[in-house]
mmCIF file of all heavy atoms in Angstrom:
data_model
loop_
_atom_site.group_PDB
_atom_site.id
_atom_site.type_symbol
_atom_site.label_atom_id
_atom_site.label_comp_id
_atom_site.label_asym_id
_atom_site.label_seq_id
_atom_site.Cartn_x
_atom_site.Cartn_y
_atom_site.Cartn_z
ATOM 1 N N ALA A 1 7.122 10.453 13.906
ATOM 2 C CA ALA A 1 7.633 11.901 13.431
ATOM 3 C C ALA A 1 8.243 12.637 14.534
ATOM 4 O O ALA A 1 8.803 13.604 14.253
ATOM 5 C CB ALA A 1 6.450 12.649 12.698
ATOM 6 N N ARG A 2 8.084 12.170 15.801
ATOM 7 C CA ARG A 2 8.568 12.857 16.970
ATOM 8 C C ARG A 2 8.546 14.436 16.950
ATOM 9 O O ARG A 2 9.310 15.141 17.006
ATOM 10 C CB ARG A 2 10.128 12.516 16.979
ATOM 11 C CG ARG A 2 10.253 11.087 17.280
ATOM 12 C CD ARG A 2 11.773 10.727 17.515
ATOM 13 N NE ARG A 2 11.809 9.330 17.772
ATOM 14 C CZ ARG A 2 12.773 8.728 18.518
ATOM 15 N NH1 ARG A 2 13.659 9.525 18.943
ATOM 16 N NH2 ARG A 2 12.713 7.465 18.672
ATOM 17 N N GLY A 3 7.292 14.909 16.984
ATOM 18 C CA GLY A 3 6.916 16.245 17.039
ATOM 19 C C GLY A 3 7.051 17.023 15.770
ATOM 20 O O GLY A 3 6.958 18.338 15.796
ATOM 21 N N LYS A 4 7.638 16.483 14.752
ATOM 22 C CA LYS A 4 7.719 17.135 13.402
ATOM 23 C C LYS A 4 6.233 17.236 12.835
ATOM 24 O O LYS A 4 5.477 16.282 12.843
ATOM 25 C CB LYS A 4 8.537 16.509 12.467
ATOM 26 C CG LYS A 4 10.047 16.418 12.907
ATOM 27 C CD LYS A 4 10.788 15.673 11.968
ATOM 28 C CE LYS A 4 12.358 15.577 12.567
ATOM 29 N NZ LYS A 4 13.188 14.670 11.738
ATOM 30 N N PRO A 5 5.848 18.276 12.347
ATOM 31 C CA PRO A 5 4.436 18.523 11.818
ATOM 32 C C PRO A 5 4.394 17.623 10.361
ATOM 33 O O PRO A 5 5.212 17.554 9.703
ATOM 34 C CB PRO A 5 4.297 19.995 11.459
ATOM 35 C CG PRO A 5 5.825 20.492 11.339
ATOM 36 C CD PRO A 5 6.563 19.672 12.162
ATOM 37 N N ALA A 6 3.151 17.153 10.399
ATOM 38 C CA ALA A 6 2.791 16.376 9.077
ATOM 39 C C ALA A 6 1.647 17.235 8.428
ATOM 40 O O ALA A 6 0.612 17.588 9.239
ATOM 41 C CB ALA A 6 2.358 14.933 9.426
ATOM 42 N N SER A 7 1.721 17.408 7.241
ATOM 43 C CA SER A 7 0.506 18.180 6.540
ATOM 44 C C SER A 7 -0.540 17.157 6.314
ATOM 45 O O SER A 7 -0.583 16.101 6.173
ATOM 46 C CB SER A 7 1.085 18.694 5.154
ATOM 47 O OG SER A 7 1.256 17.708 4.246
ATOM 48 N N ARG A 8 -1.730 17.824 6.226
ATOM 49 C CA ARG A 8 -2.939 17.080 6.028
ATOM 50 C C ARG A 8 -2.920 16.390 4.635
ATOM 51 O O ARG A 8 -3.271 15.176 4.476
ATOM 52 C CB ARG A 8 -4.154 17.934 6.001
ATOM 53 C CG ARG A 8 -4.484 18.564 7.354
ATOM 54 C CD ARG A 8 -5.616 19.503 7.164
ATOM 55 N NE ARG A 8 -5.786 20.488 8.338
ATOM 56 C CZ ARG A 8 -6.039 20.230 9.592
ATOM 57 N NH1 ARG A 8 -6.197 18.990 9.997
ATOM 58 N NH2 ARG A 8 -6.070 21.142 10.497
ATOM 59 N N ASP A 9 -2.266 17.011 3.698
ATOM 60 C CA ASP A 9 -2.201 16.440 2.344
ATOM 61 C C ASP A 9 -1.274 15.222 2.342
ATOM 62 O O ASP A 9 -1.617 14.213 1.726
ATOM 63 C CB ASP A 9 -1.691 17.417 1.367
ATOM 64 C CG ASP A 9 -2.699 18.590 0.980
ATOM 65 O OD1 ASP A 9 -3.787 18.325 1.250
ATOM 66 O OD2 ASP A 9 -2.322 19.551 0.432
ATOM 67 N N GLN A 10 -0.228 15.333 3.113
ATOM 68 C CA GLN A 10 0.748 14.176 3.394
ATOM 69 C C GLN A 10 0.036 13.090 3.852
ATOM 70 O O GLN A 10 0.250 11.879 3.420
ATOM 71 C CB GLN A 10 1.829 14.746 4.158
ATOM 72 C CG GLN A 10 2.980 13.618 4.359
ATOM 73 C CD GLN A 10 4.091 14.263 5.182
ATOM 74 O OE1 GLN A 10 3.916 15.133 6.055
ATOM 75 N NE2 GLN A 10 5.242 13.563 5.063
ATOM 76 N N LEU A 11 -0.718 13.243 4.978
ATOM 77 C CA LEU A 11 -1.386 12.173 5.695
ATOM 78 C C LEU A 11 -2.461 11.546 4.717
ATOM 79 O O LEU A 11 -2.633 10.275 4.675
ATOM 80 C CB LEU A 11 -2.093 12.668 7.013
ATOM 81 C CG LEU A 11 -1.080 12.948 8.092
ATOM 82 C CD1 LEU A 11 -1.753 13.633 9.355
ATOM 83 C CD2 LEU A 11 -0.231 11.882 8.529
ATOM 84 N N VAL A 12 -3.169 12.382 3.963
ATOM 85 C CA VAL A 12 -4.272 11.907 3.160
ATOM 86 C C VAL A 12 -3.591 10.939 2.033
ATOM 87 O O VAL A 12 -4.128 9.931 1.688
ATOM 88 C CB VAL A 12 -5.076 13.045 2.524
ATOM 89 C CG1 VAL A 12 -5.867 12.542 1.307
ATOM 90 C CG2 VAL A 12 -5.967 13.692 3.517
ATOM 91 N N SER A 13 -2.385 11.452 1.523
ATOM 92 C CA SER A 13 -1.836 10.820 0.425
ATOM 93 C C SER A 13 -1.284 9.376 0.788
ATOM 94 O O SER A 13 -1.247 8.400 0.127
ATOM 95 C CB SER A 13 -0.878 11.603 -0.320
ATOM 96 O OG SER A 13 0.393 11.706 0.559
ATOM 97 N N ILE A 14 -0.977 9.256 2.112
ATOM 98 C CA ILE A 14 -0.348 8.025 2.695
ATOM 99 C C ILE A 14 -1.624 7.072 2.980
ATOM 100 O O ILE A 14 -1.491 5.781 2.690
ATOM 101 C CB ILE A 14 0.478 8.339 3.982
ATOM 102 C CG1 ILE A 14 1.812 9.063 3.521
ATOM 103 C CG2 ILE A 14 0.806 6.994 4.614
ATOM 104 C CD1 ILE A 14 2.588 9.585 4.675
ATOM 105 N N PHE A 15 -2.590 7.505 3.770
ATOM 106 C CA PHE A 15 -3.610 6.743 4.323
ATOM 107 C C PHE A 15 -4.952 6.612 3.440
ATOM 108 O O PHE A 15 -5.620 5.546 3.676
ATOM 109 C CB PHE A 15 -3.856 7.198 5.703
ATOM 110 C CG PHE A 15 -2.823 6.978 6.756
ATOM 111 C CD1 PHE A 15 -1.911 8.069 7.027
ATOM 112 C CD2 PHE A 15 -2.483 5.711 7.158
ATOM 113 C CE1 PHE A 15 -0.844 7.792 7.878
ATOM 114 C CE2 PHE A 15 -1.336 5.485 7.976
ATOM 115 C CZ PHE A 15 -0.447 6.582 8.283
ATOM 116 N N TRP A 16 -5.207 7.454 2.598
ATOM 117 C CA TRP A 16 -6.363 7.468 1.657
ATOM 118 C C TRP A 16 -6.051 7.605 0.338
ATOM 119 O O TRP A 16 -6.614 8.640 -0.311
ATOM 120 C CB TRP A 16 -7.343 8.398 2.180
ATOM 121 C CG TRP A 16 -7.945 8.051 3.681
ATOM 122 C CD1 TRP A 16 -9.010 7.109 3.962
ATOM 123 C CD2 TRP A 16 -7.592 8.446 4.892
ATOM 124 N NE1 TRP A 16 -9.091 7.016 5.265
ATOM 125 C CE2 TRP A 16 -8.322 7.778 5.869
ATOM 126 C CE3 TRP A 16 -6.428 9.299 5.357
ATOM 127 C CZ2 TRP A 16 -8.078 8.009 7.262
ATOM 128 C CZ3 TRP A 16 -6.339 9.444 6.763
ATOM 129 C CH2 TRP A 16 -7.149 8.938 7.703
ATOM 130 N N PRO A 17 -4.949 7.104 -0.201
ATOM 131 C CA PRO A 17 -4.509 7.475 -1.628
ATOM 132 C C PRO A 17 -5.648 7.143 -2.736
ATOM 133 O O PRO A 17 -5.490 7.694 -3.766
ATOM 134 C CB PRO A 17 -3.422 6.521 -1.828
ATOM 135 C CG PRO A 17 -3.530 5.284 -0.853
ATOM 136 C CD PRO A 17 -4.349 5.869 0.352
ATOM 137 N N ASP A 18 -6.486 6.308 -2.315
ATOM 138 C CA ASP A 18 -7.594 5.924 -3.462
ATOM 139 C C ASP A 18 -8.776 6.700 -3.519
ATOM 140 O O ASP A 18 -9.629 6.525 -4.227
ATOM 141 C CB ASP A 18 -7.952 4.432 -3.188
ATOM 142 C CG ASP A 18 -8.534 4.249 -1.600
ATOM 143 O OD1 ASP A 18 -8.115 4.917 -0.812
ATOM 144 O OD2 ASP A 18 -9.348 3.287 -1.635
ATOM 145 N N ARG A 19 -8.749 7.872 -2.600
ATOM 146 C CA ARG A 19 -9.882 8.691 -2.490
ATOM 147 C C ARG A 19 -9.519 10.125 -2.969
ATOM 148 O O ARG A 19 -8.256 10.393 -3.043
ATOM 149 C CB ARG A 19 -10.369 8.864 -1.025
ATOM 150 C CG ARG A 19 -10.848 7.582 -0.541
ATOM 151 C CD ARG A 19 -11.405 7.824 0.820
ATOM 152 N NE ARG A 19 -11.762 6.473 1.324
ATOM 153 C CZ ARG A 19 -12.418 6.384 2.586
ATOM 154 N NH1 ARG A 19 -12.615 7.331 3.324
ATOM 155 N NH2 ARG A 19 -12.723 5.191 2.978
ATOM 156 N N GLY A 20 -10.395 10.979 -3.436
ATOM 157 C CA GLY A 20 -10.010 12.243 -3.894
ATOM 158 C C GLY A 20 -9.552 13.075 -2.733
ATOM 159 O O GLY A 20 -9.898 12.651 -1.511
ATOM 160 N N MET A 21 -9.098 14.202 -2.931
ATOM 161 C CA MET A 21 -8.398 14.941 -1.838
ATOM 162 C C MET A 21 -9.597 15.385 -0.836
ATOM 163 O O MET A 21 -9.354 15.288 0.396
ATOM 164 C CB MET A 21 -7.750 16.120 -2.353
ATOM 165 C CG MET A 21 -6.900 16.895 -1.239
ATOM 166 S SD MET A 21 -5.746 15.984 -0.189
ATOM 167 C CE MET A 21 -4.573 15.594 -1.492
ATOM 168 N N GLN A 22 -10.745 15.893 -1.374
ATOM 169 C CA GLN A 22 -11.776 16.338 -0.543
ATOM 170 C C GLN A 22 -12.265 15.175 0.379
ATOM 171 O O GLN A 22 -12.497 15.228 1.543
ATOM 172 C CB GLN A 22 -12.885 16.833 -1.306
ATOM 173 C CG GLN A 22 -14.033 17.352 -0.498
ATOM 174 C CD GLN A 22 -15.113 18.082 -1.322
ATOM 175 O OE1 GLN A 22 -15.009 18.101 -2.643
ATOM 176 N NE2 GLN A 22 -16.065 18.647 -0.803
ATOM 177 N N GLN A 23 -12.529 14.021 -0.169
ATOM 178 C CA GLN A 23 -13.036 12.857 0.524
ATOM 179 C C GLN A 23 -11.971 12.197 1.551
ATOM 180 O O GLN A 23 -12.293 11.906 2.721
ATOM 181 C CB GLN A 23 -13.427 11.812 -0.350
ATOM 182 C CG GLN A 23 -14.124 10.545 0.448
ATOM 183 C CD GLN A 23 -14.694 9.350 -0.492
ATOM 184 O OE1 GLN A 23 -14.209 9.470 -1.684
ATOM 185 N NE2 GLN A 23 -15.349 8.548 -0.012
ATOM 186 N N GLY A 24 -10.679 12.310 1.066
ATOM 187 C CA GLY A 24 -9.579 11.992 1.920
ATOM 188 C C GLY A 24 -9.386 12.923 3.144
ATOM 189 O O GLY A 24 -9.190 12.503 4.222
ATOM 190 N N ARG A 25 -9.568 14.271 2.880
ATOM 191 C CA ARG A 25 -9.526 15.115 4.086
ATOM 192 C C ARG A 25 -10.581 14.928 4.957
ATOM 193 O O ARG A 25 -10.369 15.130 6.224
ATOM 194 C CB ARG A 25 -9.593 16.627 3.534
ATOM 195 C CG ARG A 25 -8.117 17.059 2.942
ATOM 196 C CD ARG A 25 -8.254 18.489 2.382
ATOM 197 N NE ARG A 25 -6.856 18.937 2.247
ATOM 198 C CZ ARG A 25 -6.357 19.823 3.210
ATOM 199 N NH1 ARG A 25 -7.134 20.347 4.057
ATOM 200 N NH2 ARG A 25 -5.058 20.279 2.886
ATOM 201 N N GLN A 26 -11.822 14.599 4.404
ATOM 202 C CA GLN A 26 -12.913 14.414 5.358
ATOM 203 C C GLN A 26 -12.637 13.206 6.241
ATOM 204 O O GLN A 26 -12.916 13.134 7.385
ATOM 205 C CB GLN A 26 -14.202 14.053 4.611
ATOM 206 C CG GLN A 26 -15.347 13.836 5.408
ATOM 207 C CD GLN A 26 -15.841 14.781 6.530
ATOM 208 O OE1 GLN A 26 -15.624 16.061 6.325
ATOM 209 N NE2 GLN A 26 -16.309 14.379 7.681
ATOM 210 N N SER A 27 -12.122 11.994 5.498
ATOM 211 C CA SER A 27 -11.673 10.899 6.333
ATOM 212 C C SER A 27 -10.661 11.256 7.390
ATOM 213 O O SER A 27 -10.662 10.658 8.565
ATOM 214 C CB SER A 27 -11.186 9.702 5.488
ATOM 215 O OG SER A 27 -12.240 9.336 4.599
ATOM 216 N N LEU A 28 -9.696 12.029 7.112
ATOM 217 C CA LEU A 28 -8.680 12.421 7.975
ATOM 218 C C LEU A 28 -9.304 13.224 9.233
ATOM 219 O O LEU A 28 -8.990 12.921 10.350
ATOM 220 C CB LEU A 28 -7.591 13.271 7.336
ATOM 221 C CG LEU A 28 -6.538 13.845 8.322
ATOM 222 C CD1 LEU A 28 -5.744 12.539 8.958
ATOM 223 C CD2 LEU A 28 -5.510 14.610 7.544
ATOM 224 N N ARG A 29 -10.236 14.111 8.915
ATOM 225 C CA ARG A 29 -10.811 14.838 10.070
ATOM 226 C C ARG A 29 -11.589 13.916 11.017
ATOM 227 O O ARG A 29 -11.364 14.093 12.115
ATOM 228 C CB ARG A 29 -11.885 15.852 9.443
ATOM 229 C CG ARG A 29 -11.287 17.175 8.948
ATOM 230 C CD ARG A 29 -12.267 18.225 8.628
ATOM 231 N NE ARG A 29 -13.144 17.900 7.500
ATOM 232 C CZ ARG A 29 -12.925 18.147 6.240
ATOM 233 N NH1 ARG A 29 -11.733 18.771 6.011
ATOM 234 N NH2 ARG A 29 -13.661 17.806 5.262
ATOM 235 N N GLN A 30 -12.327 13.044 10.404
ATOM 236 C CA GLN A 30 -12.929 11.921 11.270
ATOM 237 C C GLN A 30 -11.975 11.142 12.082
ATOM 238 O O GLN A 30 -12.103 11.000 13.297
ATOM 239 C CB GLN A 30 -13.760 11.038 10.435
ATOM 240 C CG GLN A 30 -15.059 11.754 9.909
ATOM 241 C CD GLN A 30 -15.855 10.853 8.831
ATOM 242 O OE1 GLN A 30 -15.268 9.836 8.356
ATOM 243 N NE2 GLN A 30 -17.054 11.220 8.479
ATOM 244 N N CYS A 31 -10.886 10.801 11.467
ATOM 245 C CA CYS A 31 -9.934 10.071 12.143
ATOM 246 C C CYS A 31 -9.281 10.862 13.382
ATOM 247 O O CYS A 31 -9.124 10.288 14.463
ATOM 248 C CB CYS A 31 -8.821 9.582 11.138
ATOM 249 S SG CYS A 31 -7.551 8.593 11.875
ATOM 250 N N LEU A 32 -8.852 11.876 13.101
ATOM 251 C CA LEU A 32 -8.213 12.957 14.046
ATOM 252 C C LEU A 32 -9.185 13.162 15.273
ATOM 253 O O LEU A 32 -8.910 13.282 16.375
ATOM 254 C CB LEU A 32 -7.701 14.156 13.430
ATOM 255 C CG LEU A 32 -6.434 13.990 12.628
ATOM 256 C CD1 LEU A 32 -6.184 15.308 11.818
ATOM 257 C CD2 LEU A 32 -5.234 13.458 13.339
ATOM 258 N N SER A 33 -10.497 13.353 14.905
ATOM 259 C CA SER A 33 -11.633 13.654 15.927
ATOM 260 C C SER A 33 -11.596 12.358 16.787
ATOM 261 O O SER A 33 -11.683 12.610 18.021
ATOM 262 C CB SER A 33 -12.827 13.994 15.226
ATOM 263 O OG SER A 33 -13.991 14.014 16.108
ATOM 264 N N SER A 34 -11.612 11.187 16.207
ATOM 265 C CA SER A 34 -11.859 9.999 17.025
ATOM 266 C C SER A 34 -10.534 9.770 17.980
ATOM 267 O O SER A 34 -10.700 9.472 19.039
ATOM 268 C CB SER A 34 -12.207 8.862 16.246
ATOM 269 O OG SER A 34 -11.139 8.423 15.448
ATOM 270 N N LEU A 35 -9.348 10.047 17.409
ATOM 271 C CA LEU A 35 -8.215 9.932 18.111
ATOM 272 C C LEU A 35 -8.115 10.927 19.318
ATOM 273 O O LEU A 35 -7.718 10.672 20.439
ATOM 274 C CB LEU A 35 -7.004 10.088 17.260
ATOM 275 C CG LEU A 35 -6.532 8.870 16.384
ATOM 276 C CD1 LEU A 35 -5.444 9.310 15.574
ATOM 277 C CD2 LEU A 35 -6.149 7.663 17.204
#
């Protein structure tokens, strides 16, 4: 993305599409924390 912001909802829909938004956001938080 080269510095362009990505929304949390966008990342959740790409990487955790099979989870609800709340569970997907939790997974994203854990992922970003580990990164």
Side-chain angles (χ1 to χ4, degrees):
R2 295 185 178 207
K4 296 177 187 170
S7 73
R8 296 178 198 292
D9 290 347
Q10 183 180 23
L11 293 171
V12 168
S13 68
I14 292 169
F15 294 100
W16 293 274
D18 56 334
R19 299 185 182 180
M21 190 54 67
Q22 185 176 0
Q23 188 179 12
R25 281 177 162 257
Q26 177 60 31
S27 296
L28 177 60
R29 277 191 294 275
Q30 290 172 346
C31 179
L32 291 174
S33 176
S34 69
L35 284 173

